[in-house]
Amino acid sequence: MIWCKKIARRANVSIATVDRVLHNRTGVAQKTKEKIKEALSEFGDFGVDLRYYFFDMEDRLSFIEQSEELLNKHIDGVIVVPIFINETREFAAKCIERRIQFVFIESQVPKVHPLSYIGQDLEQSGRVVGHLCQYLIQPKDEILVVNVVREKDSIQHLEEKIRGFEQYFLDSHYNCSIDSFNIEINENDEFSVFMDDYLLNKNPKLIYVTNSRAYIVASYLKNRGLDHIKLVGNGYHSKNIEFLKDGIIDFLICQKPLEQGYKAFLALYEFFIAKRKVVKLQYMPIDIVTRENYQYYEN
C-alpha cells in the first residue's frame, strides 16, 4: 500500500487510478498512464528494477506468451496471480530451475510452494459468506452456488470456497438446499441459457458467485426482473461495483488488492535485501463491501 501511495502522490493521481494501470484495466488516459509509469521508474533509486508483464485473464495463450517473455529476461523474483492453474504450475517449475523466487497472490496452486502466498484463506472465505447469507434467507430456502469460468482447470481454488460455504450450513443446521455448478462460458448468452433451464425446476432465493464474474449473474437477474433473488459475489471489479451501487449485488467479498501487491513486493525485499525469513502464508482480511462503503474501500 505504501509504495502505491507514493506512486499516486508522485504522479498526482488517485490510488485507484494506479491500481487500474497496474492491473491493465481500461478507463485511464494515455497521458495519465505515462505519468504513472514515470513514477514507477523512480523506484530504481532503491536499487530495484520493476517490470510489469500483463496478460489477458480470459486468454490462456496470453499468459503463456508473457511468462515466456519474462523467463527470457534476467530476473530474480516475480509476483504471480495464478489464473491458469496448469500453466502457472509449469511456469513455477521453470522458475525453480532458474532459481527465480516467486510469490503468489489471490490464489494458490496445489502442490506448488511459492516463497510466500498472500491472499484469503479460501475455505474460511466461503464460511464467512455462508454466515453472511444466513441473514439474507430463511431456513430450507434453495441456494445456487456458481463458478462462472472461461477455462475448465481454473476452478480448483474456487472449490475451496464452496467447501467452506457448504460446511457452514451443515454446521449451522439451517437445512438449506445448495446446488453448485462450474459453468464454463464463452459468451454471456450461454449463462442465460443455463439459468433459464435451471429456473424451470428450481427456485433459489440466493446466488453465490465464487469469483469476480458476479456481474454476469447480476445482468441476467436485472434483464429477467428477478429482483427477489439475493446475490453475493467476490472481487472489487468495476462491473461488479456498478451492480452493487444499483442494489442488484447485495455484497462483495474483497481482499485489498493494493495491499496484496505491497505485501508481495515486501516478501521479495525481505528475501533478497533484508535477508530475513519470509512468512509462507500471509492471509488477507476477508472484507465485506456494500453500496454504502464501496467508495471508501476503493481508497
Side-chain angles (χ1 to χ4, degrees):
M1 181 70 77
I2 293 174
W3 64 282
C4 285
K5 287 182 178 179
K6 288 182 178 179
I7 294 168
R9 186 167 58 249
R10 294 184 187 189
N12 195 27
V13 298
S14 69
I15 295 175
T17 300
V18 174
D19 181 54
R20 282 194 288 272
V21 172
L22 294 181
H23 290 83
N24 203 28
R25 298 187 181 119
T26 58
V28 181
Q30 184 61 36
K31 287 186 178 179
T32 303
K33 288 182 180 179
E34 292 173 359
K35 286 168 61 179
I36 291 172
K37 289 178 180 178
E38 287 176 5
L40 286 169
S41 67
E42 295 179 23
F43 276 84
D45 296 340
F46 299 96
V48 177
D49 180 13
L50 294 174
R51 302 180 185 181
Y52 297 86
Y53 295 83
F54 298 110
F55 64 92
D56 185 343
M57 295 174 64
E58 309 291 349
D59 185 355
R60 183 190 305 271
L61 182 59
S62 172
F63 175 82
I64 294 173
E65 291 174 346
Q66 289 298 302
S67 62
E68 288 179 350
E69 182 178 347
L70 183 154
L71 290 170
N72 287 329
K73 308 293 184 182
H74 176 71
I75 61 170
D76 299 298
V78 60
I79 300 169
V80 188
V81 181
I83 301 296
F84 305 107
I85 302 302
N86 288 338
E87 283 69 22
T88 302
R89 183 179 289 112
E90 292 173 4
F91 173 70
K94 292 176 181 178
C95 285
I96 293 171
E97 288 177 3
R98 292 165 171 79
R99 297 186 178 181
I100 298 171
Q101 297 297 323
F102 55 95
V103 176
F104 287 159
I105 61 175
E106 294 195 13
S107 61
Q108 300 190 71
V109 178
K111 299 181 181 179
V112 176
H113 306 287
L115 177 68
S116 184
Y117 163 68
I118 298 145
Q120 291 179 350
D121 179 330
L122 297 179
E123 187 166 340
Q124 195 65 14
S125 176
R127 291 188 65 88
V128 168
V129 176
H131 192 167
L132 182 65
C133 290
Q134 184 175 321
Y135 299 103
L136 299 176
I137 59 175
Q138 299 297 320
K140 299 184 180 180
D141 276 351
E142 296 179 17
I143 299 174
L144 173 62
V145 182
V146 293
N147 295 326
V148 184
V149 297
R150 304 286 186 183
E151 301 286 348
K152 286 183 178 179
D153 68 354
S154 65
I155 62 174
Q156 298 176 31
H157 64 285
L158 301 176
E159 291 176 345
E160 294 182 43
K161 294 181 182 179
I162 297 176
R163 186 161 54 247
F165 182 82
E166 293 177 338
Q167 190 60 50
Y168 177 84
F169 279 98
L170 286 174
D171 295 342
S172 66
H173 305 292
Y174 221 55
N175 296 322
C176 287
S177 172
I178 302 175
D179 287 335
S180 62
F181 296 92
N182 297 314
I183 306 171
E184 186 178 4
I185 64 171
N186 292 312
E187 302 292 339
N188 291 358
D189 287 346
E190 294 172 306
F191 179 79
S192 296
V193 171
F194 166 83
M195 283 300 301
D196 287 343
D197 183 63
Y198 181 81
L199 294 176
L200 289 175
N201 301 305
K202 296 288 187 174
N203 185 31
K205 300 299 183 183
L206 180 143
I207 299 177
Y208 168 37
V209 185
T210 61
N211 59 13
S212 62
R213 296 191 179 96
Y215 62 88
I216 293 177
V217 182
S219 179
Y220 174 85
L221 296 180
K222 181 179 180 179
N223 292 337
R224 296 294 193 273
L226 300 173
D227 55 3
H228 66 284
I229 299 179
K230 301 295 184 181
L231 178 59
V232 178
N234 278 267
Y236 199 90
H237 189 294
S238 59
K239 293 181 180 179
N240 285 344
I241 294 301
E242 289 304 311
F243 285 107
L244 184 76
K245 291 192 291 186
D246 291 341
I248 299 172
I249 294 178
D250 293 274
F251 298 102
L252 286 172
I253 307 302
C254 301
Q255 52 179 326
K256 290 185 171 61
L258 292 181
E259 189 171 337
Q260 282 186 77
Y262 169 69
K263 285 179 176 290
F265 184 84
L266 186 60
L268 293 173
Y269 167 84
E270 292 284 332
F271 182 84
F272 288 111
I273 301 175
K275 305 297 183 182
R276 291 193 287 260
K277 185 177 180 180
V278 177
V279 179
K280 292 291 185 182
L281 290 175
Q282 302 185 57
Y283 287 128
M284 296 296 296
I286 302 170
D287 297 325
I288 300 171
V289 177
T290 72
R291 62 178 172 179
E292 289 79 19
N293 72 355
Y294 77 91
Q295 66 269 39
Y296 308 113
Y297 189 80
E298 181 177 16
N299 294 321

